Amino acid sequence: MVAGKVAFVTGAGSGIGREVCRILAKQGAKVIAADRNLENATNTITSLNDPGHLALNVEVSNEQSIQQAFKSAINKYLTPPTIIVNSAGITRDQFILKLSNEDFAKVLDVNLKGTFYVIQTAVKEIVNANIGIGSSIVNVSSIIGKTGNMGQANYAASKAGVIALTQTASLEFGQFGIRVNAVLPGFIETPMTETVPDNVKQLFIQKIPLHRMGKPEEVAEVITFLASSKSSYINGASIEVTGGLH
């Protein structure tokens, strides 16, 4: 269960991150919605109808921004968050031969380095407060991190890195009672996929055994399970939420 716990969710302004906030709050957690767009994060918190939650402007690729966010969280709740959900992510799609160094680096900075910064900052605070037992980190990777995808070399590399980072972190932090797992969403109805042309969407859907796109809440339910005590012996796992797409 997650009742009474403090949860820190990046990418909380929309899509999967917003649904994670909604479900965690519904189950009794205090939620910190972190997003680079403060208005979107605030909208997420407003929708929860509870003044006990918190919206923060966070740029995950900036270590100082993350550290300041955790200071704000601890000031409000008098304890570090013990549920961490790394849902922030971006795409800069292009074929490898046309992909700029800037767009390659930016995607890795947000998707991979940002996840690393949040994990490192969070675990330091959790360990210093001696509250590791029962803590849970859930990283949002992607099935693309396993399969690759044309035009998404940077995204695929970043999400593959998240899987490896998750596995390594689970080995290092188990001694503190902190579990680290990943979810690998497939083709989900989010702002990130809204820009995909309909004909391309249909090609993807034809490859999915369930013949439909996933909904953000279907991923968020799995994340909430991994964040809760119901998954207390799951550690270092990467769980696919793809409708059968491989």
Side-chain angles (χ1 to χ4, degrees), residues 74-133:
I74 293 168
N75 284 340
K76 179 174 177 64
Y77 298 107
L78 305 179
T79 183
T82 56
I83 294 173
I84 310 295
V85 180
N86 284 299
S87 185
I90 63 169
T91 56
R92 295 288 188 274
D93 295 349
Q94 186 56 271
F95 295 116
I96 291 172
L97 295 183
K98 297 181 179 180
L99 182 60
S100 69
N101 291 343
E102 181 182 2
D103 281 348
F104 185 87
K106 183 61 177 176
V107 170
L108 265 72
D109 280 348
V110 173
N111 298 2
L112 181 56
K113 193 181 291 184
T115 299
F116 163 72
Y117 283 152
V118 173
I119 290 174
Q120 187 180 63
T121 302
V123 172
K124 283 180 179 178
E125 296 291 353
I126 290 170
V127 171
N128 286 341
N130 195 29
I131 53 173
I133 302 297

Side-chain angles (χ1 to χ4, degrees), residues 5-25 29-37 40-42 44-45 48 53-60 69-70 73 77 81-89 118 122 136-140 220 223-224 227:
K5 293 194 173 186
V6 179
F8 184 90
V9 183
T10 70
S14 63
I16 293 169
R18 175 170 283 183
E19 284 301 311
V20 170
C21 291
R22 184 183 65 80
I23 296 172
L24 286 173
K30 295 300 181 185
V31 173
I32 301 159
D35 200 279
R36 64 186 302 184
N37 185 318
N40 288 349
T42 301
T44 294
I45 292 303
L48 303 180
H53 305 301
L54 178 66
L56 291 176
N57 179 219
V58 177
E59 177 55 66
V60 296
F70 272 81
Y77 298 107
T82 56
I83 294 173
I84 310 295
V85 180
N86 284 299
S87 185
V118 173
S136 177
I137 299 171
V138 187
N139 302 319
V140 179
I223 291 171
T224 302

